[in-house]
Amino acid sequence: MNRRNFLKTSGALGVPTLFGAGQLAAAPLSALNQLLLSSDTDRVLVLIQLTGGNDGLHTLVPLDQYANLAQVRSNIILPQNSLLGLTPNAAFHPVMSGMQNLFLDGKLSAVQSVGYPNQNRSHFRSMDIWTSASAADVEETTGWMGRILTEDHPDFPTGYPNPEFQDPLAMVMGTVVSATCQGEVANFSLAVRDPFNFTYIAPGSNTPIPDNNYGDELLFVRQTIAQSNAYGDRVTNAASAGDSQATYPETRLGEQLRNIATLISGGLQTKVYIATIGGFDTHANQIASGDSTQGEHANLLADLSASIAAFSEDLTSLGLQDRVLGMTYSEFGRRIRSNQSFGTDHGTAAPLFLFGGCVAGGILGSSPIIDPQVDPYEGVPMQYDFRDIYGSIMTDWLDLDINLVESLIYPGFTYLPLLQGCALLPVEWLSFSALGRERNIRLEWQTATETGNLGFEIERSTDGRYFSQIDFVRGVGISNSVQDYEYLDRTAVQGPLYYYRLKQLDNDGRSSYSPVRTARLSGTAIGDWQVGLPAPNPVDEQTTIQIFAPVDARADFELFDQQGRRLQAGQLSLIGGRDNRIPLSVGQLPAGIYTWRVKAGGQSHSRRLIKR
């Protein structure tokens, strides 16, 4: 993106300084095809920018590569016994207990080695690529969210705000609007430092506007001031009506996330919030002298972890946990080898984190391979293109059509199953699985309550992008108890990996999609691990779960309560090429909701159990 054009259209040329640190700095609201104004979905996206390039290998440590990592990072390596375990192959930095608890509770996911082809190691250019979702060799003048808003509101900023769109769609918790929300003509985001403290800005005189460049700039400033004044009452009223019940760290990020929770609970219809934490450009003194678990990077990670944990706790106590999806991002990771200044230099890919009540949980991808002879300039190789994460959020969270996503992001978009769908269906959703068998693929799903549920269209794809309906399963309609559904796809053939999703239909015509699940017929040469649903559920002494293992293997399992405390742990012996029926023993536990997690084939699968 051209820096001068961005500053001109965003209002960063002077306008934020007119408002001061606590004021507003531009922009209106769009409907995202009316979805984001719907009280039935009411989903919110929170983006947290880690400015400077976060060291992913010092954040999410690959335990299966630890010995090699210690060789190439001997002066900053974290002691293995200090790490916070997540899976047998991955652990968090020891200061990240808040995010570890969220992970173990199934409310946080990690995506390994996220980046883009031909990584640019310039701070500005790389962040420009992330905010615009452009290729490394293309300069895009709009942001990825801005293109969505422009699609819906091509006339903006003329006529905004208005009675139909009274609140801003996007909000930056700071003093400068975000390039992520840059549209064709103007920036759609509103910069707010302190939502409780808005001061009316005098609009100035009404003198005629000259027909020249100066007139264009004057018109832009007048529109920005008028819009900011109009939004001021909406923002401050929501802040006053809202609530925050968690204890946040006394940091700038903690303050930003606390304000976001307050505004959401106060009824503001803003659907995209952007928070920022800086300082990740750790070329020197990344660790404290004599203690690699402390230091500059540890302080940043402690702030990030505690702030996200408090935000999640706040959303849960306010009943908002299934309405909000959070995502972290940074312009790049660091190099694999540390430098002689006890720091790390600009690299390539790094882990990205998603959090909220609707994330799929677990870790997507494998640990980055650490070569003890790695070149000093080498970064972590990319496993996942960040644009595929954007596109998957747009399809599953913003409910945008796949063809529109491809046109707004890039034609090569590949869907990634990042969400488990708890907020996507207008029924209380428990789980959905696909299990490959010898002659059919069994789909199983459960709902806890239903109101006016007409039923489920079964949709299938062979590429994860284009789905077609193959059948329909009628819903119970109205129910306050757990309902079990099953469908057998007898048209599947040997070989392909199939993608399945459910389109839930309400009697009043509303509809929404489940997450995507994959399966192959068993016996396929490249068959994959599959984990079924607990049955019966609510659980009793006869409850079992089926696991298909492509090869003979041992798997680790754990059982957690709602507070993330591990109650059980052990290993399973699985026979390859068949369904293994595993008994679940929860007879001595009190009534409640539990999470059973099995780690098999380099993957983590979680299932919810209800004990009554």
Side-chain angles (χ1 to χ4, degrees), residues 11 21 41 55 113 174 272 302 404 558:
T41 53
D55 183 1
S113 307
V272 179
L404 177 60
E558 298 168 294

Side-chain angles (χ1 to χ4, degrees), residues 260-543:
I260 291 172
T262 301
L263 290 171
I264 296 172
S265 67
L268 197 70
Q269 291 300 302
T270 296
K271 302 304 176 185
V272 179
Y273 292 87
I274 301 175
T276 305
I277 174 174
F280 286 90
D281 196 22
T282 52
H283 289 280
N285 300 319
Q286 179 170 314
I287 63 168
S289 177
D291 187 354
S292 61
T293 67
Q294 301 299 315
E296 183 179 347
H297 193 242
N299 294 339
L300 292 169
L301 294 180
D303 184 6
L304 177 70
S305 177
S307 296
I308 289 178
F311 184 56
S312 179
E313 177 188 345
D314 216 357
L315 295 175
T316 299
S317 64
L318 295 168
L320 301 171
Q321 69 273 15
D322 290 348
R323 285 185 49 201
V324 180
L325 172 66
M327 184 188 84
T328 68
Y329 67 103
S330 192
E331 57 261 49
F332 40 65
R334 316 300 287 188
R335 296 178 194 174
I336 295 175
R337 283 191 182 273
S338 57
N339 59 35
Q340 297 303 309
S341 301
F342 298 93
T344 51
D345 299 317
H346 297 186
T348 49
L352 177 149
F353 302 104
L354 298 156
F355 59 91
C358 299
V359 299
I363 297 177
L364 184 62
S366 57
S367 298
I369 301 300
I370 307 299
D371 182 354
Q373 306 302 318
V374 67
D375 187 276
Y377 295 94
E378 190 68 29
V380 173
M382 181 191 78
Q383 289 187 54
Y384 296 98
D385 193 311
F386 77 95
R387 294 171 294 180
D388 293 331
I389 296 174
Y390 285 1
S392 300
I393 289 173
M394 291 163 70
T395 56
D396 277 357
W397 195 246
L398 304 183
D399 203 23
L400 299 184
D401 180 79
I402 186 68
N403 295 316
L404 177 60
V405 172
E406 287 188 331
S407 68
L408 295 178
I409 300 296
Y410 75 119
F413 158 64
T414 299
Y415 175 86
L416 300 174
L418 303 175
L419 305 179
Q420 67 177 8
C422 62
L424 298 181
L425 297 180
V427 297
E428 187 177 344
W429 189 249
L430 287 181
S431 51
F432 172 38
S433 70
L435 188 66
R437 308 200 299 185
E438 289 186 6
R439 297 181 180 178
N440 56 61
I441 293 175
R442 184 176 68 228
L443 308 182
E444 295 179 307
W445 61 101
Q446 294 176 322
T447 65
T449 60
E450 299 185 16
T451 303
N453 177 26
L454 181 63
F456 306 86
E457 291 182 357
I458 313 297
E459 296 188 357
R460 188 179 72 185
S461 168
T462 55
D463 61 7
R465 297 159 62 194
Y466 300 104
F467 287 81
S468 58
Q469 181 182 347
I470 60 173
D471 214 330
F472 177 79
V473 173
R474 184 164 296 279
V476 172
I478 299 177
S479 172
N480 292 318
S481 61
V482 174
Q483 298 297 325
D484 294 283
Y485 293 91
E486 178 182 282
Y487 175 78
L488 299 180
D489 181 6
R490 294 184 172 88
T491 63
V493 298
Q494 289 281 344
L497 175 67
Y498 291 101
Y499 299 77
Y500 294 92
R501 70 183 183 188
L502 306 175
K503 183 178 182 180
Q504 192 274 336
L505 305 176
D506 264 17
N507 288 328
D508 60 8
R510 293 177 301 157
S511 65
S512 195
Y513 287 100
S514 75
V516 172
R517 295 291 182 256
T518 60
R520 289 187 177 93
L521 290 184
S522 61
T524 298
I526 50 175
D528 202 357
W529 292 85
Q530 300 292 339
V531 178
L533 300 181
N537 193 17
V539 299
D540 58 27
E541 294 180 358
Q542 307 302 318
T543 294

